[in-house]
């Protein structure tokens, strides 16, 4: 699930390290999260797969200035700017991190409770507008709630209906903090985006009590649009920041 994706942690804590709001060891510990181990393979200065603390120091030494999150899906390559070989690899994984200045990107592969990162040449995407992405998410949330209400989502999946009703109450960042240096607006947008992605993921598992194919298609369309807006908001919220 993208709500717990390693790329989210890697992006925000690498940005904090590069901005000087935390040290590499702290960043490595927070990137690790609940996993048992992370290794980064393909670093030019380190022939063997490197541990996170070593990799973060090498990335900084290689000229990395900022980290960008990518959460691409077919038809919506959000966060990707090329080249095609990197885009294809990231699209298959559904997530990646791009490091400006170093000209590289990292794509995770999950092996049980461990993560193996592969380093490839990558181009930096243009910065995302957090305000625009957040407004887009809120509009998509309202539209999805209205569409699903018309399709009787409460009868189909009452837990999804309850989550949509409660979503305006979230956003304080509890349990969803990004990293030192991110402002409250980014934390709130990230929390909302993560909740929307979790809702869409759960609701798209099946067609529930859909009576007709058209009804199932309408539900899927509403949830797919909500997920797309949430991915854009999460990408924007996790982008580089200027230390205060």
């Amino acid at each position: 699930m993208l709500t717990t994706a390693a790329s989210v942690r890697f992006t925000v804590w690498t940005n904090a390290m590069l901005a000087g709001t935390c040290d590499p060891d702290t960043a490595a510990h927070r990137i690790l999260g609940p996993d048992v181990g992370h290794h980064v393979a393909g670093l030019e200065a380190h022939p063997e797969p490197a541990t996170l603390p070593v990799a973060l120091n090498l990335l900084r030494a290689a000229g990395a200035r900022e980290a960008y999150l990518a959460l691409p899906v077919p038809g919506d390559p959000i966060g990707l700017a090329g080249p095609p070989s990197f885009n294809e690899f990231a699209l298959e994984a559904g997530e990646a991190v791009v490091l400006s200045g170093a000209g590289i990107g990292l794509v995770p592969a999950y092996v049980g409770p461990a993560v193996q990162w592969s380093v490839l040449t990558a181009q930096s995407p243009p910065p995302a507008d957090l305000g625009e992405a957040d407004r887009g998410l809120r509009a998509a949330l309202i539209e999805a709630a209205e569409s699903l209400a018309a399709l009787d989502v409460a009868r189909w999946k009452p837990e999804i209906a309850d989550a949509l009703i409660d979503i305006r109450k979230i956003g304080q960042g509890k349990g969803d903090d990004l990293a030192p240096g991110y402002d409250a607006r980014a934390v709130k947008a990230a929390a909302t985006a993560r909740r929307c992605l979790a809702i869409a993921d759960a609701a798209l598992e099946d067609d529930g009590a859909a009576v007709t194919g058209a009804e199932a298609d309408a539900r899927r369309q509403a949830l797919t649009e909500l997920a797309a807006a949430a991915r854009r908001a999460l990408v924007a919220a996790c982008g580089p920041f200027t230390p205060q």
Side-chain angles (χ1 to χ4, degrees), residues 126-208:
D129 187 312
L130 176 56
E132 180 180 346
D134 187 41
R135 289 190 295 273
L137 175 57
R138 294 182 183 282
L141 177 58
I142 292 171
E143 185 172 345
E146 291 176 349
S147 297
L148 293 172
L151 292 166
D152 196 7
V153 67
R155 176 173 57 87
W156 167 45
K157 282 197 171 185
E159 70 278 12
I160 300 301
D162 291 343
L164 288 169
I165 292 171
D166 292 343
I167 199 164
R168 292 185 181 181
K169 299 178 182 178
I170 73 163
Q172 299 306 313
K174 184 177 182 181
D176 284 313
D177 291 344
L178 297 181
Y182 282 92
D183 63 25
R185 184 179 66 157
V187 171
K188 184 174 182 178
T192 303
R194 285 169 163 170
R195 180 65 65 89
C196 288
L197 282 167
I199 290 171
D201 185 72
L204 287 169
E205 288 178 354
D206 60 70
D207 291 327

Side-chain angles (χ1 to χ4, degrees), residues 15-230:
N15 274 328
M17 180 199 72
L18 294 172
T21 60
C22 80
D23 60 82
D25 287 340
T26 298
H29 175 71
R30 297 304 296 265
I31 292 169
L32 180 64
D35 304 323
V36 299
H38 283 223
H39 287 85
V40 181
L43 289 167
E44 187 174 338
H46 202 282
E48 299 297 322
T51 61
L52 277 174
V54 171
L56 291 173
N57 280 297
L58 290 174
L59 290 170
R60 182 165 57 184
R65 296 191 304 268
E66 297 172 326
Y68 293 86
L69 175 65
L71 297 175
V73 295
D76 187 17
I78 181 69
L80 299 180
S85 56
F86 175 71
N87 288 0
E88 182 179 354
F89 199 23
L91 185 60
E92 183 176 352
E95 56 177 297
V97 181
V98 178
L99 294 169
S100 68
I104 60 175
L106 295 91
V107 180
Y110 296 87
V111 184
V115 180
Q116 178 81 24
W117 296 89
S118 296
V119 176
L120 299 91
T121 299
Q123 298 168 358
S124 300
D129 187 312
L130 176 56
E132 180 180 346
D134 187 41
R135 289 190 295 273
L137 175 57
R138 294 182 183 282
L141 177 58
I142 292 171
E143 185 172 345
E146 291 176 349
S147 297
L148 293 172
L151 292 166
D152 196 7
V153 67
R155 176 173 57 87
W156 167 45
K157 282 197 171 185
E159 70 278 12
I160 300 301
D162 291 343
L164 288 169
I165 292 171
D166 292 343
I167 199 164
R168 292 185 181 181
K169 299 178 182 178
I170 73 163
Q172 299 306 313
K174 184 177 182 181
D176 284 313
D177 291 344
L178 297 181
Y182 282 92
D183 63 25
R185 184 179 66 157
V187 171
K188 184 174 182 178
T192 303
R194 285 169 163 170
R195 180 65 65 89
C196 288
L197 282 167
I199 290 171
D201 185 72
L204 287 169
E205 288 178 354
D206 60 70
D207 291 327
V211 177
T212 66
E215 186 179 54
D217 289 343
R219 286 175 176 168
R220 181 166 294 273
Q221 179 68 22
L223 292 162
T224 298
E225 291 176 359
L226 176 62

Side-chain angles (χ1 to χ4, degrees), residues 11 14 64-65 208 241:
T11 300
T14 298
R65 296 191 304 268
F241 62 85

